[in-house]
Amino acid sequence: MDSKQVVHMNQGEMETSYARNSSFQSAEQNRMKPLMEAAIVDVCSNISTLSCGNMVIADLGCSSGPNAVALVSIAIEATCNHFLQLQQSPPEVSLLLNDLPYNDFNRVVKSLVALRQINEPVVVAGVVPGSFYERLFPSGSVHLFCSSNSLHWLSKAPEDLRINQIPAYDIDENVRRERLPVVAEAYARQFRKDFTLFLKLRAKELVSDGRMVVSLAGRRSDELVSEISHVWGTAAQILGIMASEGMIDKAKFNSLYIPVYGPSLEELREIIQEEGSFTITEMRVHNPASGMDSAHLTPNRIANCMRAAFEPLINQHFGSSGEVMDGFVRTAEKLLSLQGSSQVNQTEKPIVMLAVSVTKASHVNCGAFSTSP
């Protein structure tokens, strides 16, 4: 499955769009604010980093809707506040938003235009379509990278599972549990490969001592891998129920490999340290539901949030008749209601948000290297 074609959120402003069903992502961006502000102060305090009097900030995997400019807005406000305290003029700022080509960039551009009009330091604002597992920017050109709720998406699903016809999520519970270590290891290998490449690419594009703040879905380090600890586990569970009830084809379900992986905090730390281009400034673990209004945590709202994220991928695999996604939402609401009545709440689940702030290591330069995946 080509992630470039199917990994994008629901477009537009309708009831099922990502723009209207992204409260979890918005909450995580708010939790990233202290890390973003600290990174901005660090960049602005480095005289050599801002020697040309300008700053380039890039958001990777911006998606669309109000969340698209949330992180860069935090960065702009922090920059202005920093130089206001110093009684100095802020640097000229370039804001660049990246996502895959099928993203709803029409809405993104409108958001950028509005942001530029109300922020005096913003001189350039633009979009950069493409995968963040490829080169996107000139060497040594970016001061701060940020990314929220995106890096758990892989460049592709593990090919060895597909080649060996091992379903990522089997309807039979006993078979599923037996295969879980094989499936988990395949996804872990793909994530390690992708995230290592991501770090190499961003180190190439960052200025000396440049900063990066990212957040992605994962699991607690002390949690054993289980089917629900996969970021796609609940979606697969819902589709599995639909397959067992004849709502979707079982053979097609068995051939579905969702290109998403949530690492543990220690797994993430190990990959960053082994790759060697960055030093870790801070790492945090967030409960994805913390600080959210309970009105956003109802089975219906959660089901619609899942639909907004997975509908393009599901439609590409099962067909876009509309009946599949309507059935997905109904099944999700029923499953989530049953979980709620069984007192299975969000705090007991192993899925968390991992936030990481890193600095480009001083020994890393802009020398040539291979970017082959």
Side-chain angles (χ1 to χ4, degrees), residues 205-281:
E205 296 164 345
L206 277 171
V207 300
S208 177
D209 297 319
R211 295 295 302 272
M212 183 160 64
V213 180
V214 303
S215 177
L216 67 158
R219 67 182 191 282
R220 298 184 186 278
S221 295
D222 57 352
E223 286 283 352
L224 296 176
V225 176
S226 67
E227 58 262 30
I228 63 169
S229 68
H230 287 298
V231 175
W232 46 258
T234 302
Q237 188 177 6
I238 294 164
L239 292 169
I241 295 172
M242 293 173 66
S244 65
E245 295 180 354
M247 299 169 66
I248 56 176
D249 184 75
K250 287 185 180 181
K252 282 193 173 182
F253 173 73
N254 287 336
S255 65
L256 175 65
Y257 301 92
I258 301 175
V260 173
Y261 178 76
S264 70
L265 189 68
E266 286 307 312
E267 194 175 358
L268 202 61
R269 186 194 308 274
E270 182 181 294
I271 296 172
I272 295 171
Q273 291 175 340
E274 285 186 0
E275 193 280 324
S277 294
F278 293 90
T279 57
I280 298 172
T281 305

Side-chain angles (χ1 to χ4, degrees), residues 42-53:
D42 190 47
V43 170
C44 292
S45 301
N46 192 323
I47 298 176
S48 62
T49 300
L50 293 180
S51 59
C52 297

